[in-house]
Amino acid sequence: MIERLQELAASRMCRFLIVGSGAALLLLVLTYGLARLGVPPFPGSVLAYAVAFCCAYLAQRGWTFGGSHAHARALPRYFVLQAGCAIFSGVVSHLAVARFGMAPLPMAVATTIAASAASYVVSSVWVFPMGDGES
């Protein structure tokens, strides 16, 4: 059992999912906490997203992809990727409802899986490619 857990922890995909889940949870907690403190929704959500984005980037770069990719190259690429994933998730969710008539929960699941898969693939081959600055 412990060996299997160690194998999972060594998997980039598993680390990617852990970091992504942690970033989503951080976003949720910060958005909620700032709202409870009286911060208006728009600036509170933007601030929470910025903090979660920075934490996710640093964890993905340092732990998931285990490299020392130059920030000057990886950070702008990560930003472009996340902006693209946001747009892609909007398209997927729209198509899931408008084209396939999905209810909210299956639409959310489909959108999350599609955006996560796209983010993982593009992160692996473009943002944090193997052999590009890894130690």
Side-chain angles (χ1 to χ4, degrees):
M1 175 73 169
I2 292 176
E3 289 177 14
R4 181 66 183 137
L5 290 174
Q6 289 172 331
E7 288 174 19
L8 280 174
S11 162
R12 276 196 322 177
M13 183 172 292
C14 182
R15 293 189 309 255
F16 180 85
L17 292 172
I18 291 169
V19 170
S21 298
L25 181 60
L26 178 61
L27 176 62
L28 175 78
V29 168
L30 289 175
T31 302
Y32 175 76
L34 290 169
R36 293 283 298 171
L37 290 172
V39 177
F42 184 82
S45 295
V46 170
L47 176 60
Y49 189 87
V51 171
F53 174 92
C54 291
C55 291
Y57 166 75
L58 291 172
Q60 295 292 22
R61 178 183 171 268
W63 186 53
T64 301
F65 294 97
S68 57
H69 301 82
H71 289 298
R73 182 174 175 159
L75 182 56
R77 288 180 178 200
Y78 189 77
F79 182 81
V80 168
L81 168 62
Q82 294 309 311
C85 282
I87 293 166
F88 178 63
S89 67
V91 170
V92 170
S93 63
H94 174 76
L95 289 174
V97 172
R99 183 93 160 123
F100 301 105
M102 288 185 175
L105 182 59
M107 175 275 299
V109 170
T111 300
T112 300
I113 291 170
S116 297
S119 181
Y120 179 74
V121 169
V122 177
S123 288
S124 295
V125 300
W126 185 58
V127 178
F128 307 111
M130 297 268 295
D132 181 30
E134 289 193 16
S135 45

